[in-house]
Amino acid sequence: MAAAGGTGDEIVVTGTRQVEFSQTTTGTSIDVSELAAREPIARNVTGLILLTPTAIPSDTAFALASGQSLAPASISGATGAENAFFINGLNTTNFINGLGGATVPFDFYQTVEVKTGGYQAEFGRAMGGVVNAVTKSGTNDFTGGLHVNFAPNDLLEDRPN
């Protein structure tokens, strides 16, 4: 490469290519209180997980095996038993059968992040996805609130068992 002045000096640049792995994670992050205020959603973590692309409901046999009323979601083609669940950084996955994890009341969640691929090694031991939930934090100020869920039978459809 010739310099602009025509002297014929060469400039050689050497270096290594930097690989950035912090931006490879795919999935979604949900602000729970904002979403619940705008949209009618199921008031459980599985309902939030199902908003993520590549997430579908698992077979109902998984709900019977886990003793839960709702089957865990299948993320990225893996079964409901191949996901990892974290709340505030603590692994709450059911270690006996891998089906779901411990939960807190729905209104306690601040954000729920569902990682579907490329997640960091700290979220290891999951073949499907990682559900990373953060709960709300409080203050020293005394506050209160009231939340009511109402589902009258007159508005429900009659259907056979």
Side-chain angles (χ1 to χ4, degrees):
M1 167 190 297
T7 61
D9 294 336
E10 289 186 21
I11 298 174
V12 178
V13 178
T14 59
T16 59
R17 196 166 107 184
Q18 299 294 324
V19 180
E20 180 65 41
F21 288 107
S22 65
Q23 301 298 323
T24 60
T25 303
T26 58
T28 188
S29 182
I30 301 167
D31 184 343
V32 177
S33 59
E34 180 184 327
L35 181 68
R38 285 191 348 243
E39 303 293 330
I41 57 170
R43 299 187 60 78
N44 54 49
V45 177
T46 303
L48 296 172
I49 295 170
L50 293 175
L51 296 174
T52 304
T54 74
I56 60 171
S58 285
D59 191 318
T60 55
F62 284 113
L64 297 174
S66 65
Q68 299 174 355
S69 62
L70 186 64
S74 172
I75 302 173
S76 297
T79 68
E82 297 171 323
N83 302 322
F85 293 85
F86 290 83
I87 297 177
N88 292 337
L90 177 67
N91 190 346
T92 62
T93 307
N94 183 342
F95 291 108
I96 296 171
N97 56 15
L99 293 170
T103 59
V104 298
F106 184 79
D107 291 316
F108 286 19
Y109 291 112
Q110 179 177 352
T111 60
V112 173
E113 183 180 24
V114 182
K115 298 174 182 280
T116 59
Y119 42 84
Q120 298 85 355
E122 66 188 274
F123 300 112
R125 298 186 182 256
M127 294 177 63
V130 173
V131 179
N132 187 21
V134 177
T135 58
K136 295 177 182 176
S137 60
T139 65
N140 289 334
D141 298 330
F142 182 74
T143 60
L146 178 66
H147 179 84
V148 177
N149 290 334
F150 180 61
N153 286 333
D154 294 338
L155 299 177
L156 296 176
E157 177 184 10
D158 292 329
R159 57 183 175 183
N161 291 337

